[in-house]
Amino acid sequence: MEEIARNFADFAHPDTESIAIIRGRVLQALQHYLLDRDFKQLMPILMSPITDPLNHAVYPAEIQYEQRRLKLTASMIFHKQLALTAKGHDKIFIVAPNIRLEKAEIKDSENHLLEFSQFDFEIRDGDMHQVMALIEGLIKHVFSEVNQHCAAELAQLNRQLPHFTSAFPIYSSDELRAEHGDDFEKIMSASAQTPFFVTNYRREFYDRETPGKRGAYNNYDLIYPDGYGEALSGAEREFEYEQIVYRMNELSMDLQPFANYLEVARRGLLHPSAGGGLGIERLLKFICGKRRIRDVALFDRTVGTSFLF
Ligand code: ASN
């Protein structure tokens, strides 16, 4: 009962209204920015025989439909690659809900929700530098739109949005790890003044290995300053059948569930591409100056939630 009272006290708080107004403006700015650049907007897919295997262990999120087991979408990575093969779909984006049933280890995370949304995009024949430039433009545009249209809401939240005039720095994970150890993201985020990119992470098989350089990867994360942590992850993609199988085997993956995807690759139908996915709640949290992701989501879906509603 106590929890229900607290929930409705949060609902009644003026910050809740300001955050909702800013959320709308952020979503509008994100979508406009890509629509103005001739991206096509797709609707999200929520269930499929395959989904993103992710780089960390989560509980399986599956449902039964007649004779089939279907996975709930952890990210639309494979559907993005497949969508790029459709006519005229050379630049695409989706406002995509993702389900990730995280384990208790991260129950204290201020950056994770069991269901969240990504602003997820992909460019046929794109490369990492083109995409990083696009992301920087996108973030700067969203900040300028919020600054211009949401002054009253930012004042309510007591938030002075930082102005990013210079280019976002690009570091490689090796150089940061050598300097700061394995916690480099956290340490760098705490001291940074502007968002910055980190490249070259060893993670999921679909992020492209640097051609001719085993164990190096053409991928990137965007990290927010002031301790807000990870904003986005993205990459150039593997698209060649042999290399995809090599990467999956390297991670000891079961290839069988991916048979149809692999068949598309074997026929040479996948395009080279690059893209990324920006966490919408994380962006909102940073813009609103809130420290816990639960503060920008009306319905609590943090790892430790009691699922009140
Ligand atoms: N959306 C991310 C990407 O495009 C993948 C992810 O969320 N795991 O790389």
Side-chain angles (χ1 to χ4, degrees), residues 135-295:
I135 293 164
E136 179 169 334
L138 181 68
I139 296 284
K140 287 178 172 169
H141 174 69
V142 170
F143 270 61
S144 124
E145 285 294 291
V146 171
N147 254 329
Q148 207 176 318
H149 298 282
C150 303
E153 290 73 25
L154 291 170
Q156 163 63 35
L157 296 167
N158 203 10
R159 174 69 165 153
Q160 193 116 31
L161 267 192
H163 276 285
F164 306 125
T165 42
S166 53
F168 296 173
I170 304 174
Y171 306 101
S172 114
S173 67
D174 327 275
E175 82 183 274
L176 295 185
R177 192 171 282 112
E179 201 178 328
H180 302 288
D182 284 344
D183 250 358
F184 64 85
E185 264 190 31
K186 211 172 158 192
I187 295 166
M188 286 288 295
S189 174
S191 62
Q193 303 295 314
T194 70
F196 60 94
F197 289 100
V198 183
T199 65
N200 188 24
Y201 289 92
R202 177 185 297 270
R203 55 190 183 202
E204 297 92 340
F205 76 87
Y206 52 75
D207 281 6
R208 191 173 195 202
E209 194 167 35
T210 310
K213 215 171 158 199
R214 281 263 174 253
Y217 304 92
N218 289 3
N219 58 16
Y220 36 85
D221 274 4
L222 180 73
I223 314 288
Y224 293 127
D226 196 18
Y228 282 90
E230 185 187 330
L232 164 147
S233 64
E236 293 177 12
R237 312 301 177 185
E238 299 289 9
F239 61 98
E240 292 155 312
Y241 174 76
E242 300 287 342
Q243 172 68 7
I244 292 176
V245 170
Y246 174 87
R247 295 288 310 283
M248 292 176 93
N249 282 331
E250 198 178 37
L251 291 166
S252 310
M253 290 178 64
D254 179 7
L255 273 56
Q256 200 282 323
F258 290 91
N260 291 347
Y261 172 78
L262 288 170
E263 181 57 21
V264 175
R266 201 188 59 76
R267 293 182 191 199
L269 295 172
L270 292 182
H271 293 281
S273 69
L278 183 69
I280 294 170
E281 292 84 355
R282 289 178 179 182
L283 174 58
L284 192 59
K285 168 176 172 272
F286 178 45
I287 288 179
C288 294
K290 294 290 184 186
R291 286 292 165 182
R292 300 175 313 166
I293 199 153
R294 118 146 239 33
D295 294 335

Side-chain angles (χ1 to χ4, degrees), residues 52 75 80 100 118 120 204 206 233-234 237 276-277:
D52 191 333
S75 95
K80 290 199 298 180
R100 297 184 185 174
Q118 281 197 49
D120 214 358
E204 297 92 340
Y206 52 75
S233 64
R237 312 301 177 185

Side-chain angles (χ1 to χ4, degrees), residues 13 25 50-51 53 70 108 110 125 128 142 177 179 206 208-209 211 241 253 262 272 289 292 302 306:
H13 197 284
R25 184 60 65 175
I50 53 169
T51 194
L70 296 170
D108 297 325
E110 291 172 345
D125 297 318
M128 61 188 287
V142 170
R177 192 171 282 112
E179 201 178 328
Y206 52 75
R208 191 173 195 202
E209 194 167 35
Y241 174 76
M253 290 178 64
L262 288 170
R292 300 175 313 166
T302 49
S306 58

Side-chain angles (χ1 to χ4, degrees), residues 48-64:
S48 166
I50 53 169
T51 194
D52 191 333
L54 302 176
N55 190 36
H56 67 289
V58 293
Y59 296 112
E62 297 178 354
I63 52 169
Q64 185 83 18

